[in-house]
């Protein structure tokens, strides 16, 4: 076997490759959604799949999200592994009843007799200059629904790995794709990609001793940048990329916070009722005696997603993260 | 050729030459609901089929009465009765082949039983010891769906998947008149027609969505007319005429099996009982109306026909009723036993493997149960029992 060196690839390319590899490996994998066939999806993630595998395997559906997910449920009941594309975060809401009342509950309702192995891909988040309804961070809704796995990649290899693992999972998985990072590049060896298994493990992206930034998806690169900038202030920040919101990796997160004694949760989703509240509570309950300061949250404001010309004021950026780090009661150290 | 290609490529035509993509005339339902019993068609009906339908209808009527009685005894949390709708329930099950699938709503437990599922397992949802009591794959019956019309797209997806795999499978999906107002009804019919999926959509128009009459539900000429907008045939049938319902559904199943795509069947029937035992029907309808429908009873209509043709004598009626009593007695006896519950089951099937959070919560419940058992043991030891 010839060795192929790692070279730059985009997250979009890794996702496409993951779909192609999964379809080639397993004839029960079917891709379906709006514009996924001839067009290759509005973000081109399904580019070439209809051509390679035929329209029966990569299907342009009518424009109806509840119908897409509802028929995917029936296909999964019959032993297929549908991979559904929801075109945008806010366009996935019509499918919410199918997701909550059937996708998430079918295994439990039938005592494990009717599992639903299906993957729901949803591009999410802002920062792309999108007009209204194209930039939501909807992860809190999905996290609050038992029976779903909720995962989100932040790197090119993880995009491939998480999507392969999601498709291989016998449980329904909501894969939130950070659309702002679709065209981000990373050094990647596509000849030896691998799934991220098991689903549900966080990873330390950057080791540090002063405080832990707990984050995921779109906010990971922002936190990495913040950690670099923090060096000038004398802070050595650790960055934990959750990768999976459900299941939640208490072990990796708490091990980090116990080491550093300080934590800030960072995400784009609104703070009130958002993922950060749950994460801060979990960390506080488990690491209270190791904490030097309250766990803080840096989140989007509690407002409907802003129009594109104002979104930069809403999104958590480096300065807002560093401000929060600065409020972690460092004076007690001196 | 792929299934998708069989639909044919879309070729837009310039406006002056515009024509409808499908001729709507053959899709239209008849002006009157289709009837067999009491018409000239009755003589052609197969005697064996009529006898079988009769036995199932009598059993179905008895099943409804028994299940209703079980609510009064506190053995069922709730029961949505299909009394008066037995012809629809029974026919829906009987038209299907072994490999076909039934997608019932919560009012269709009789159809599920007629398909062969154990009545005790069928009533698990309504007893409340779990959400689904039967294995959906054993008799190819989807779980009873409580959210209205949401099971319809499942039927479409399953039938589509079977067709992609080259399997001979038809899905029959049941829904009520109220359910036709739901978005999922629209999306399911549209997907089914576009995919030419082998599905039969069976609407039991029983007059009411809990308290809301059909006139407040739709302005369509009939629910069957809705089919035309999707490009599939709509059929209208007298839902209390078991022979007619069976014939129309069997036609639709045959059409689907032959690759002709989906059909929408509307059966005109009547919900004789209230919505459930928790409902008070006198708040929204009068007794006179109920009495009129009782005069058009599915069991009596079929009994008259069988008697007229000399296909039913007193001995046979007695034997059929005895069968129904045996079923009811068995159901009663088994439902009167408390189900065995294991609270640990709560955590067993949320995911293929419980998450670490669920494992923690399972241990918490286990500890709570142990403490509870200890308390009870203490209380049981009399006045000397320790106080906590």
């Amino acid at each position: 076997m010839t060795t192929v060196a790692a070279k730059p690839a985009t997250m979009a390319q890794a996702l496409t490759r993951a779909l192609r590899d999964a379809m080639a490996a397993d004839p029960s994998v079917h891709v379906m959604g709006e514009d996924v066939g001839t067009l290759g999806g509005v973000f081109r993630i399904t580019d070439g799949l209809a051509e390679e595998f035929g329209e029966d395997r990569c299907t342009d559906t009518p424009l109806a999200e509840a119908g897409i997910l509802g028929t995917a449920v029936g296909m999964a009941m019959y032993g297929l592994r549908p991979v559904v594309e929801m075109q945008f975060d806010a366009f996935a809401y019509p499918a919410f009843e199918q997701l909550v009342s059937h996708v998430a509950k079918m295994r439990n309702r039938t005592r494990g007799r009717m599992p639903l192995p299906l993957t729901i891909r949803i591009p999410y988040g802002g920062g792309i200059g999108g007009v209204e309804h194209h930039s939501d961070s909807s992860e809190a809704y999905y996290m609050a629904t038992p029976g779903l796995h909720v995962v989100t990649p932040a790197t090119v290899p993880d995009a491939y790995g998480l999507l392969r693992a999601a498709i291989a999972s016998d449980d329904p998985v909501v894969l939130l794709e950070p659309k702002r990072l679709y065209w981000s590049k990373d050094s990647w060896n596509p000849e030896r990609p691998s799934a991220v298994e098991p689903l549900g493990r966080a990873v330390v992206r950057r080791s540090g001793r002063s405080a832990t930034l707990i984050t995921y998806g779109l906010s990971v690169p922002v936190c990495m940048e913040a950690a670099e900038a923090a060096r000038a202030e004398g802070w050595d920040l650790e960055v934990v990329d959750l990768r999976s919101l459900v299941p939640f990796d208490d072990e990796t997160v708490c091990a980090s916070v116990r080491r550093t004694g300080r934590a800030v949760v960072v995400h784009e989703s609104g703070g009130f009722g958002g993922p950060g509240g749950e994460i801060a509570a979990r960390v506080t309950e488990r690491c209270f005696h190791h904490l030097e300061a309250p766990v803080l949250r840096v989140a989007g404001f509690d407002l409907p997603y802003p129009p594109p010309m104002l979104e930069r004021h809403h999104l958590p950026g480096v300065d807002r993260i560093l401000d929060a780090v600065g409020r972690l009661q460092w004076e007690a150290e001196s | 050729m792929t299934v998708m290609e069989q639909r044919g490529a879309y070729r837009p035509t310039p406006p002056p030459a515009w024509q409808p993509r499908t001729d709507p005339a053959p899709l239209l339902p008849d002006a009157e609901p289709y009837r067999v019993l009491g018409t000239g068609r009755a003589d052609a009906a197969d005697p064996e089929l009529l006898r079988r339908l009769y036995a199932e209808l009598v059993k179905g009527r008895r099943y409804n009465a028994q299940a209703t009685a079980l609510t009064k005894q506190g053995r069922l949390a709730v029961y949505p009765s299909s009394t008066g709708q037995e012809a629809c329930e029974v026919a829906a099950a009987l038209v299907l082949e072994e490999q076909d699938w039934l997608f019932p709503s919560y009012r269709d437990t009789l159809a599920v039983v007629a398909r062969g599922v154990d009545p005790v397992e069928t009533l698990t949802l309504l007893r409340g010891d779990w959400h689904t009591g039967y294995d959906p794959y054993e008799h190819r019956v989807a779980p009873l769906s409580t959210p209205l019309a949401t099971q319809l797209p499942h039927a479409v997806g399953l039938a589509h998947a079977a067709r992609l795999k080259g399997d001979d499978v038809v899905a029959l999906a049941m829904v009520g008149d109220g359910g036709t107002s739901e978005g999922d009804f629209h999306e399911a019919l549209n997907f089914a027609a576009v995919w030419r999926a082998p599905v039969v959509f069976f609407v039991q128009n029983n007059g009411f969505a809990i308290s809301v009459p059909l006139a407040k539900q739709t302005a369509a000429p009939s629910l069957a007319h809705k089919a035309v907008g999707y490009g599939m045939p709509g059929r209208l049938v007298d839902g209390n005429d078991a022979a007619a319902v069976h014939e129309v559904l069997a036609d639709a199943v045959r059409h689907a099996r032959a690759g002709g795509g989906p059909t929408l069947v509307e059966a005109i029937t009547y919900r004789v009982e209230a919505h459930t035992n928790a409902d008070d029907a006198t708040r929204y309808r009068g007794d006179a109306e109920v009495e009129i429908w009782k005069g058009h009873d599915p069991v009596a209509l079929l009994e008259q026909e069988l008697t007229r043709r000399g296909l039913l004598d007193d001995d046979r009626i007695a034997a059929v009723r005895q069968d129904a009593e045996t079923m009811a007695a068995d159901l009663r006896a088994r439902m009167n036993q408390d189900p065995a519950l294991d609270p640990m089951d709560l955590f067993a099937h949320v995911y293929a493997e419980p998450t670490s959070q669920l494992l923690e919560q399972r241990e918490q419940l286990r500890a709570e149960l142990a403490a509870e058992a200890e308390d009870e043991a203490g209380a049981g030891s009399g006045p000397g029992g320790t106080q906590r």
Side-chain angles (χ1 to χ4, degrees), chain B residues 99-337:
Chain B
Q99 74 276 15
D100 295 336
W101 273 78
L102 182 71
F103 285 78
S105 81
Y106 57 85
R107 196 177 299 286
D108 304 314
T109 60
L110 175 54
V112 174
V113 171
R115 175 95 173 126
V117 177
D118 181 343
V120 173
E121 292 184 1
T122 304
L123 290 170
T124 295
L125 168 77
L126 303 168
R127 174 155 73 176
D129 49 309
W130 202 258
H131 306 304
T132 298
Y134 52 89
D135 179 352
Y137 292 103
E138 190 183 344
H139 294 277
R140 285 150 308 281
V141 178
L144 294 161
S145 184
T146 311
L148 293 180
T150 55
Q151 73 278 20
L152 306 183
H154 304 170
V156 177
L158 183 138
H160 179 60
R163 189 151 161 261
L164 290 174
K165 286 188 172 188
D167 295 346
D168 168 26
V169 171
V170 173
L172 189 150
M174 304 177 77
V175 66
D177 45 299
T180 64
S181 297
E182 290 282 2
D184 277 8
F185 173 84
H186 159 67
E187 297 190 20
L189 267 71
N190 189 47
F191 273 65
V194 171
W195 288 350
R196 280 181 89 83
V199 183
V200 177
F201 298 100
F202 183 31
V203 181
Q204 288 181 72
N205 173 2
N206 68 8
F208 292 92
I210 304 189
S211 68
V212 178
L214 191 69
K216 292 183 185 174
Q217 204 67 247
T218 181
S222 78
L223 296 174
H225 275 82
K226 294 192 174 203
V228 182
Y230 301 104
M232 73 173 79
R235 299 288 309 272
L236 199 54
V237 62
D238 181 339
N240 288 14
D241 179 335
V245 180
H246 188 280
E247 187 183 323
V248 168
L249 288 179
D251 277 353
V253 168
R254 209 173 301 121
H255 182 73
R257 203 181 298 290
T263 303
L264 173 64
V265 177
E266 176 188 4
I268 311 295
T269 183
Y270 194 77
R271 199 192 72 210
V272 171
E273 302 289 337
H275 166 63
T276 67
N277 51 301
D279 176 37
D280 175 9
T282 63
R283 291 177 71 99
Y284 51 83
R285 70 184 186 190
D287 289 344
E289 181 184 315
V290 181
E291 287 310 310
I292 291 169
W293 276 94
K294 282 184 175 170
H296 191 63
D297 178 72
V299 186
L301 285 177
L302 187 54
E303 198 170 294
Q304 283 159 21
E305 179 61 32
L306 286 164
T307 310
R308 185 186 68 80
R309 286 178 62 183
L311 297 171
L312 201 61
D313 55 25
D314 289 348
D315 286 353
R316 196 168 186 105
I317 293 178
V320 165
R321 288 187 183 159
Q322 186 51 51
D323 268 3
E325 284 309 319
T326 306
M327 177 276 301
D330 174 63
L331 177 57
R332 196 165 53 236
R334 290 162 65 212
M335 292 299 282
N336 277 329
Q337 289 163 16

Side-chain angles (χ1 to χ4, degrees), chain B residues 14-85:
Chain B
W18 185 88
Q19 287 189 333
R21 298 181 58 213
T22 319
D23 177 7
L27 306 179
L28 281 164
D30 296 338
E32 289 282 317
Y34 182 78
R35 292 195 173 90
V36 171
L37 302 178
T39 75
R41 300 185 184 106
D43 288 333
D46 172 21
E48 272 320 300
L49 174 64
L50 295 184
R51 284 199 186 113
R52 170 128 197 253
L53 284 168
Y54 177 71
E56 292 293 332
L57 254 57
V58 170
K59 215 155 56 165
R61 178 62 52 85
R62 187 66 190 88
Y63 163 84
N64 270 318
Q66 185 57 60
T68 302
L70 285 165
T71 61
K72 290 176 182 147
Q73 294 150 15
R75 285 293 177 181
L76 287 180
V78 67
Y79 183 65
S81 169
S82 59
T83 299
Q85 301 175 223

